[in-house]
Amino acid sequence: MVLFIEGLIKGRSVQFIEVANHMSTKVKTESNLRRIQDFIANYEMNYEQIALLLCCFLPAKGQVILAIDRTNWQFGQCNINFLVISAYCQGAAIPLWFELLDDKQGGNSNEKERIAVLKACLQLLVGRSVAIIGDREFVGTNWIKFLFTSEIDFYIRSRSNTLVEKDGQIRHATDWLGQRKQCLLDGVKIHNHWRPPPLG
């Protein structure tokens, strides 16, 4: 493992042939290459232990700010989608947990998957105050309910046509905002993105 890390640093590449070529051993590069390939093929990584190690780099005090997002990679004609939770640390995002998403769903996550990955992260951050930031695709009744019951501060973007009810008045989010750049509303209810037709 030490030789492999040394090869990574010296070769400045993650390509196996480059790593093998910069490993300080007396054997041929081809032998080092086979050792690397065998290791990667047979070793089963414990991602929970890796995530726990990464948590050691987070500040010991203060609220941990998490970001949930979907990332897309393309391998030839294949779309690879991951649901990722990262922790904000000194201007950088440290990925703590990720799950491969089913491409049959268009690469999107469902509420069950979001809750599962967040639960995994919360187990690593027991006793810490946690906040989570997400884009407007991360909505859903069960998901939001889980955030409330887990006492997590959350900041989820809303679509401009989201219907917000306050004091019996239902308006689009942009109508409540008006000309202001930000607006704090307390005691509101969020409705579907469409207004039902009047009865009668």
Side-chain angles (χ1 to χ4, degrees), residues 44-65:
E44 189 171 330
M45 298 183 73
N46 187 320
Y47 292 105
E48 187 174 349
Q49 289 182 351
I50 294 172
L52 192 58
L53 175 64
L54 291 172
C55 285
C56 295
F57 293 94
L58 299 178
K61 296 181 179 179
Q63 189 175 56
V64 179
I65 300 176

Side-chain angles (χ1 to χ4, degrees), residues 1-2 12 17 38 43 46 63 71 78-79 84 102 105 114 133 140 145 147 153-154 156 162 168 172 177 183 188 192:
M1 182 59 71
V2 172
R12 296 184 179 184
I17 187 64
D38 289 343
Y43 184 77
N46 187 320
Q63 189 175 56
T71 182
C78 179
N79 280 304
V84 184
D102 190 349
Q105 298 177 162
R114 295 170 204 158
I133 299 169
K145 183 178 179 181
L147 296 177
D153 293 336
F154 61 93
I156 307 293
T162 300
H172 286 120
L177 190 61
C183 175
V188 301
N192 290 325

Side-chain angles (χ1 to χ4, degrees), residues 123-134:
Q123 289 176 355
L124 300 169
L125 299 167
V126 172
R128 300 291 302 271
S129 173
V130 175
I132 190 163
I133 299 169

Side-chain angles (χ1 to χ4, degrees), residues 55 58-59 61-68 85-88 96 117-133 143 146-155:
C55 285
L58 299 178
K61 296 181 179 179
Q63 189 175 56
V64 179
I65 300 176
L66 302 176
I68 185 168
I85 291 188
S86 303
Y88 177 82
L96 297 181
V117 295
L118 185 52
K119 276 184 176 179
C121 287
L122 293 177
Q123 289 176 355
L124 300 169
L125 299 167
V126 172
R128 300 291 302 271
S129 173
V130 175
I132 190 163
I133 299 169
W143 164 245
F146 173 75
L147 296 177
F148 272 117
T149 55
S150 301
E151 297 183 349
I152 299 171
D153 293 336
F154 61 93
Y155 307 89

Side-chain angles (χ1 to χ4, degrees), residues 1-10 19 22-25 35-36 39:
M1 182 59 71
V2 172
L3 292 173
F4 179 78
I5 294 172
E6 182 185 21
L8 280 171
I9 296 170
K10 288 182 176 179
V19 176
H22 288 85
M23 289 171 64
S24 299
T25 61
R35 291 171 66 187
I36 294 171
F39 175 79

Side-chain angles (χ1 to χ4, degrees), residues 67-74 79-86 97-103 105-110 113-114 117 133-138:
I68 185 168
D69 203 0
R70 179 177 64 94
T71 182
N72 173 262
W73 295 352
Q74 283 193 315
N79 280 304
I80 303 172
N81 293 283
F82 285 101
L83 180 63
V84 184
I85 291 188
S86 303
W97 204 269
F98 62 89
E99 289 289 339
L100 184 64
L101 296 173
D102 190 349
D103 197 43
Q105 298 177 162
N108 295 317
S109 64
N110 57 42
E113 290 166 330
R114 295 170 204 158
V117 295
I133 299 169
D135 211 345
R136 55 192 179 188
E137 67 182 277
F138 297 103

